[in-house]
Amino acid sequence: MAVVSWLSVVLLACAVLAVVGAEWPRLRQRLGVDARRGRKRERRKSQLRLVHGDEEPDDAEDFAASVERDLQQLPTLDESDRR
């Protein structure tokens, strides 16, 4: 077995640290806490399904009427209230 000098070991360790330091942002994206959250979110999203309602014309009219009612109930400011 050949004898490896301590200088070779130190240089190899420095090279490994340089590569890890350069690739750290990419490693953190794939292996970090945010990556775990992202994978969980993707799993949850894959379980969702789209439900189509009964697209009747009355539904659109009812929706428009409810929006108008809600808009009429919103508080407004008059010119005298601003002062």
Side-chain angles (χ1 to χ4, degrees):
M1 183 174 195
V3 178
V4 179
S5 72
W6 63 271
L7 182 59
S8 300
V9 173
V10 170
L11 288 175
L12 180 63
C14 288
V16 168
L17 288 175
V19 169
V20 169
E23 295 295 325
W24 183 249
R26 193 181 324 179
L27 290 172
R28 189 175 54 186
Q29 275 182 336
R30 292 184 183 198
L31 303 175
V33 175
D34 292 336
R36 184 177 306 135
R37 286 184 193 139
R39 287 189 300 270
K40 282 184 181 179
R41 182 171 188 245
E42 287 298 322
R43 249 182 271 135
R44 285 193 313 264
K45 285 175 68 175
S46 70
Q47 301 297 323
L48 296 177
R49 61 186 175 94
L50 182 61
V51 178
H52 295 282
D54 299 330
E55 307 265 338
E56 296 179 11
D58 294 336
D59 290 340
E61 293 172 2
D62 290 341
F63 177 73
S66 70
V67 169
E68 288 182 20
R69 278 194 311 269
D70 292 342
L71 287 175
Q72 289 173 355
Q73 293 176 356
L74 288 175
T76 58
L77 293 177
D78 294 331
E79 287 296 323
S80 60
D81 293 341
R82 288 187 183 178
R83 297 179 189 163

